Amino acid sequence: AQSVAQPEDQVNVAEGNPLTVKCTYSVSGNPYLFWYVQYPNRGLQFLLKYITGDNLVKGSYGFEAEFNKSQTSFHLKKPSALVSDSALYFCAVRGPPGSARQLTFGSGTQLTVLP
Amino acid sequence: DTEVTQTPKHLVMGMTNKKSLKCEQHMGHRAMYWYKQKAKKPPELMFVYSYEKLSINESVPSRFSPECPNSSLLNLHLHALQPEDSALYLCASSQVTTSRRDEKLFFGSGTQLSVL
């Protein structure tokens, strides 16, 4: 069965500093990996996805994520955090064909950017 | 139009009431989803419709009844709910791709449901 782990419930970072939100995955075969963000009182918004190709994926709002197959990780990064980036972030994975087709979400990481 | 619109935004209902949640999208997406989300937790999949047919039911109790009357609309009919059903109910849609694996979901803002 596929799974994702977000080891940090909460990440605090000062505005202007780089941020990292961690995600590790477990899936047989090639993973399809996603990051979604949820602002207060809103639904989830797609940020970026990794399917194949370049290990560094660029997404919305200046976010990027690095796929590392040997470490089975897909960490979300941004060079300079904004207060408006404060939100709940979910990593998600889809497994190979024939497995459960739907997204498996991580437990979420609350990011707080301090002014 | 890249929005998924959900109504109502808030709903309070008693355990004997019947109510419906509505979801609409005009992006031409042929897959639509219902998720349930408790505060600060990941969304839990409830139902998936593909081409207006129910393709996945994640063992959801029968007091939740989905309906997809056409390719743009998705309803969730509620009857005899329990207090533990109180949650944010999210609708989502996606294009149907060949592999189904690279689909990205577009979510609505949800209906915050309270069952008294």
Side-chain angles (χ1 to χ4, degrees):
Chain A
Q2 65 212 36
S3 65
V4 288
Q6 293 181 243
E8 300 160 319
D9 292 334
Q10 175 82 42
V11 170
N12 296 328
V13 64
E15 188 175 28
N17 283 1
L19 70 86
T20 298
V21 183
K22 295 179 181 177
C23 172
T24 58
Y25 66 90
S26 174
V27 67
S28 56
N30 295 323
Y32 280 37
L33 295 159
F34 301 78
W35 277 101
Y36 285 83
V37 60
Q38 187 173 28
Y39 298 100
N41 303 312
R42 300 297 300 273
L44 280 70
Q45 294 180 32
F46 170 82
L47 277 180
L48 50 81
K49 66 181 177 183
Y50 172 82
I51 305 299
T52 187
D54 195 348
N55 288 344
L56 186 64
V57 180
K58 294 190 183 298
S60 307
Y61 313 122
F63 284 93
E64 58 190 25
E66 187 170 10
F67 172 69
N68 188 317
K69 188 172 184 177
S70 62
Q71 296 185 7
T72 61
S73 66
F74 189 55
H75 301 330
L76 182 70
K77 301 183 179 187
K78 188 173 182 181
S80 179
L82 300 173
V83 172
S84 57
D85 293 330
S86 299
L88 186 57
Y89 290 80
F90 291 102
C91 182
V93 67
R94 271 206 184 96
S99 68
R101 283 191 296 109
Q102 300 311 315
L103 281 178
T104 299
F105 286 96
S107 55
T109 298
Q110 181 67 50
L111 172 68
T112 301
V113 181
L114 305 167
Chain B
D1 185 358
T2 58
E3 278 195 2
V4 176
T5 303
Q6 290 188 244
T7 56
K9 293 193 183 306
H10 302 276
L11 179 63
V12 179
M13 59 187 291
M15 289 190 284
T16 59
N17 292 158
K18 287 185 180 181
K19 296 286 185 183
S20 295
L21 310 185
K22 296 184 185 301
C23 174
E24 189 169 6
Q25 57 87 17
H26 296 287
M27 293 178 278
H29 292 170
R30 302 305 296 275
M32 296 187 77
Y33 309 74
W34 281 114
Y35 282 88
K36 173 184 177 181
Q37 186 182 27
K38 294 280 194 178
K40 304 296 186 184
K41 298 294 186 184
E44 300 170 20
L45 183 65
M46 299 175 72
F47 303 104
V48 181
Y49 275 83
S50 296
Y51 296 99
E52 297 85 70
K53 293 191 188 316
L54 183 65
S55 59
I56 293 179
N57 177 341
E58 292 285 0
S59 303
V60 178
S62 60
R63 57 186 184 268
F64 296 91
S65 175
E67 178 195 20
C68 190
N70 61 55
S71 60
S72 299
L73 294 174
L74 186 66
N75 298 322
L76 186 63
H77 303 296
L78 314 173
H79 174 54
L81 294 193
Q82 303 298 310
E84 59 265 29
D85 297 321
S86 298
L88 180 67
Y89 288 84
L90 293 167
C91 173
S93 69
S94 68
Q95 288 182 329
V96 176
T97 62
T98 303
S99 75
R100 301 303 309 269
R101 299 180 66 206
D102 56 347
E103 295 170 5
K104 70 179 188 183
L105 300 182
F106 290 76
F107 284 85
S109 294
T111 295
Q112 187 65 55
L113 174 67
S114 297
V115 182
L116 304 179

